[in-house]
Each structure stands twice: as C-alpha cells, then as structure tokens.
C-alpha cells in the first residue's frame, strides 16, 4: 500500500478510538448524570475537562515526538488513553469521572497530533488533501458507530461498559504502529520552553475550568470567577513571554502566515458553534423529547454518516472552486443547518430530523476538511511541528468553548422558562446562538486571496502568485528557524 494511504490508516485507529469514545459519552450523558446523582448540565464538565486536558498537553506533543520519537510517543499515548478509559468505567462520582476524563485527554493530546505530524512530514503538499481524507474517513466510522452503540449499551446493559470499547482498538493501534511507523525524530531538538508550558497550561486550564464550572456546578461562583481571571492573566503573561524566547512552546509567530492565521482563527470560530452539538443534541432528544439513549443514538449518528459521505468529494470540490469560495459559502450553509436543529420539536417526524442532520453533517465535513488543509498550505516542514501543536490547541479550546456556551445558553433559557427540569422549549435559543457564532467565521474566510492554498487544493495553479501569496512567502522567510 502507498505510504500516503498506509500511514493515515494507522493514525485513524487513534482517531477512531477517540471519536467513538466522545460520541458514545455524548449519547450516554443523561444516563451517566442520573447514575452519578448529578444535574445533566453539570456533565458539561466531563466534556470540557477532556478538551482542556488536550489543550494543556498538545503544546508539548510535537516537542516530545521530536525528542523521543513519534512511534514511541504515539504508542505511549494510546496506553494512557486506555488507562483513562478504565478509570472512567470505575468512577462513582462527578469529580472522579471528570478526573478520569482528564487522564484520557493526556493520551489524546499526544496520539492524534503526533500521528498527524508523521503524516504531514511524510507526504508531499500535492498529496496532503488526499492523505488527510484517508486519515479522517476511517476515523469517521467512530462517530457513525458510536451513538447507536453507546445507546444500545446504555439502554440494555450498563453505561460503564462503553469505556471498555477502547481497549481492543487501542491494542490494535499499538501493534500497527510498532510494525509500520518509523520512529521519526529530529537530530537537533530545541530545549523545552518549561516556563512557557507552565504559563499556557495554567492559563488554558484555569480559564476553561472557570467557564465550565459557572452555573453553581462543582465549585462556588467566586472560585469560577477567580479561575477565569487567573487564566486570562496567565495567557497574557505567556504572550509576553513568547516574544522574548527563541523557541516558545506555542509559536505565535506562525500567525504571520495569512492562510494559517485565517484557517486557525476562522476555523476555531466555526468549531465553537459545532462543538456544542455533542452536548446539546442528545440532551434535547432524551430530556426534551423523551427518547431513550438508543433512539437518540440512532438519530444523532447520521451527522457523522453525512460527514463520511462528503469526505470522498471534498478534494474535488476544493480543486474546482478553491478555498475562499468554498469556505465562505459553506460556513453560512453549515451554520444554518446547525441552527435548524433548534427548530425540532417532539412532534417533528424523525425522517425530517435525520435529513437535516445528514445534510448538515456533509457541509460541516467539507468545512473541516478545507480548514485543515488550508491551515498547513503554506507552512514549511521545519515549522510543521509547531503549527500542528498551535492549531490543535486552538481546535480543542474552541470545541470546549462551544460546550460551555451551549450550556450557558441552555441554563439561561431554562431560568427564563421558570427553572426546574429541562424541557423541549429550553433548547432552541442555544442552537440559534451557536449557529450564529459558526456563521460569523465567514468574516475571516472572506479575507482569503482567490488563489489561497492553490498548491494544496489544485485550484488555479496556472495563475501567477497573488500579492497575498507573495506576502505569505515573505512571512515564512522572515520567521526564525526552529534549530
């Protein structure tokens, strides 16, 4: 098998495990909350703690791969993720469950970014979109299988068994990586920016913990506000720190590259809205509409099925229309389908729900494929490790922010309607809000040059470089080499 196909399929084992796990948990949240004796909205902590853990440890994933070898770190990350899964299954309180999810995030922070880094360093620019498609197509099977499987296990057995699904998948990933991964590493690795890591880790963790614990869950309100303030202060301190060191743990100078800046920032805005879906949709179907976990899973899985269908056509669409046209138009369309979920009612026929979720999944998948490819279109190989870490942090923070915003909107609507148990009428304001947030990403995408990322998309390759692409080349040349 060609290397551009084999490596993505191996990394896809990690993505399959991670995506199956997240979708299974999302489907089972109401039942888990009941079992732990918690408010279902409080379970947002289980989702955000995992994403915060990713944001904390992703910045050093590239450095660890360069220092100790990509194969070594990839296999160790799979083992840590499996350990976290077992701890989740053994949890008997919200605090223990949130802590176990944090351990899972430590593994997830290493396995997917490191695997993606191997791919980015092993394939040519022309093969990049195809390689990323091979990476995500098998991984998308996880979200397709996850909701029905999680719903079935939760409905007819016990929710704790859903975490043991990860064990055989992780073992397969470790075996395949041992057989086929090269232990890629750098000869000269810059010293780890320990101070920068501590500042960014504390900043991200405190900020998201403060936001996620708002609403009188787990900690007092004063503690939540203090965490937010401390997180912001730490991140500001990191920004000043990063300008004074030669090799910061997060290389913010990469934002000088126009395609990278627009891809990461615009993509993060779009993902913020999308990040609320795994939290809001299962709660609405189960608590608002009265469906059980299996019925909910059999509806929500079609979004992933739509994404799976679109992956095969994404490269052709990008080659024909280019990044700017696709990402601007598609941002609005994808956000509209997200907001349309808020129009569902208990009496809405299931075939209409399935149709909206299926088509919406197609458009979101196209947007993510385009954003991922655009972000690395003009990044040099020497900066690929830093670019992967920075974009992965932004991605996880935006998803975590989506869960937090969705939960806040849901709580606010519930209070307006008199409080008490969540009802169907509490959900539509949250879906409208996160849809508007995703749609606002069009303001960033519209700044792209007509031929932006043409080498990757294959669009307008015969055209002379635009001033924007010349500026990109100059920005890359001006960056300090990562020696």
């Amino acid at each position: 098998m060609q290397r551009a196909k084999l490596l993505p399929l191996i990394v896809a084992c990690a993505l399959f495990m991670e995506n199956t796990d997240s979708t299974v948990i999302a489907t089972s949240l109401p039942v888990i909350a009941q079992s732990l004796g918690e408010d279902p909205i409080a379970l947002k902590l289980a989702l955000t703690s995992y994403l915060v853990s990713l944001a904390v440890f992703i910045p050093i994933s590239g450095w660890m791969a360069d220092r100790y070898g990509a194969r070594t770190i990839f296999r160790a990350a799979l083992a840590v993720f499996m350990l976290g899964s077992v701890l989740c299954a053994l949890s008997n309180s919200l605090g223990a469950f949130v802590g176990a999810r944090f351990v899972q995030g430590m593994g997830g922070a290493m396995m997917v970014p490191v695997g993606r880094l191997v791919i980015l360093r092993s394939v040519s620019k022309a093969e990049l979109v195809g390689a990323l498609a091979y990476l995500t197509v098998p991984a998308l099977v996880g979200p397709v299988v996850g909701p029905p499987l999680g719903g079935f296990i939760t409905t007819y057995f016990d929710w704790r068994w859903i975490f043991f699904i990860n064990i055989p998948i992780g073992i397969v990933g470790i075996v395949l990586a041992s057989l086929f991964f090269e232990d890629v590493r750098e000869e000269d690795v810059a010293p780890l920016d320990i101070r920068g890591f501590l500042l960014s880790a504390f900043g991200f963790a405190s900020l998201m913990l403060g936001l996620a614990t708002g609403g009188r869950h787990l900690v007092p309100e004063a503690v939540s506000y203090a965490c937010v303030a401390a997180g912001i202060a730490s991140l500001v301190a990191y920004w000043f720190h990063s300008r004074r060191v030669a090799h910061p743990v997060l290389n913010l100078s990469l934002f000088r590259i126009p395609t990278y800046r627009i891809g990461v920032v615009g993509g993060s805005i779009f993902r913020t809205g999308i990040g609320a879906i795994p939290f809001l949709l299962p709660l609405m179907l189960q608590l608002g509409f009265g469906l059980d976990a299996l019925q909910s899973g059999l509806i929500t899985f079609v979004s992933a099925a739509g994404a799976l269908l679109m992956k095969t056509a994404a490269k052709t669409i990008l080659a024909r229309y280019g990044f700017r046209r696709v990402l601007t138009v598609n941002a609005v369309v994808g956000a509209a389908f997200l907001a349309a979920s808020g129009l569902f009612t208990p009496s809405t026929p299931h075939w209409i729900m399935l149709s909206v979720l299926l088509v919406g999944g197609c458009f979101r998948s196209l947007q993510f494929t385009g954003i991922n490819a655009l972000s690395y279109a003009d990044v040099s190989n020497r900066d690929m490790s830093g670019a992967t870490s920075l974009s992965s942090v932004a991605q996880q923070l935006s998803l975590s922010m989506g869960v937090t915003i969705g939960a806040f909107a849901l709580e606010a609507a519930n209070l307006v309607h008199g409080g008490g148990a969540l009802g169907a009428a509490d959900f539509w304001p949250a879906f409208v809000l996160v849809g508007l947030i995703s749609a606002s990403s069009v303001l960033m995408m519209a700044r792209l040059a007509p031929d932006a990322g043409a080498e990757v998309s294959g669009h307008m390759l015969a055209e002379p470089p635009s001033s924007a692409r010349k500026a990109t080349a100059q920005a890359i040349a001006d960056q300090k080499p990562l020696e």
Side-chain angles (χ1 to χ4, degrees), residues 280-297:
L280 292 176
L281 194 56
L283 288 182
M284 182 176 71
L285 294 176
Q286 295 179 50
L287 301 182
F289 297 177
L291 303 181
D292 62 31
L294 179 58
Q295 292 170 321
S296 171

Side-chain angles (χ1 to χ4, degrees), residues 171-254:
I171 292 173
V172 170
I174 290 174
V175 171
L176 291 178
S178 300
L179 292 175
F180 299 109
F181 258 31
E182 293 183 16
D183 209 18
V184 181
R185 68 180 72 197
E186 292 294 315
E187 294 296 330
D188 260 337
V189 182
L192 177 63
D193 176 20
I194 298 178
R195 179 177 297 179
F197 169 67
L198 293 177
L199 285 172
S200 64
F202 180 78
F204 290 140
S206 297
L207 177 61
M208 296 314 302
L209 178 63
L211 293 174
T213 53
R216 300 179 300 279
H217 293 306
L218 196 62
V219 299
E221 286 290 304
V223 175
S224 297
Y225 296 143
C227 286
V228 171
I232 293 174
S234 184
L235 291 177
V236 171
Y238 174 79
W239 182 74
F240 284 107
H241 165 80
S242 68
R243 303 179 67 182
R244 298 195 301 266
V245 297
H247 308 288
V249 67
L250 289 175
N251 184 9
L252 302 182
S253 67
L254 289 166

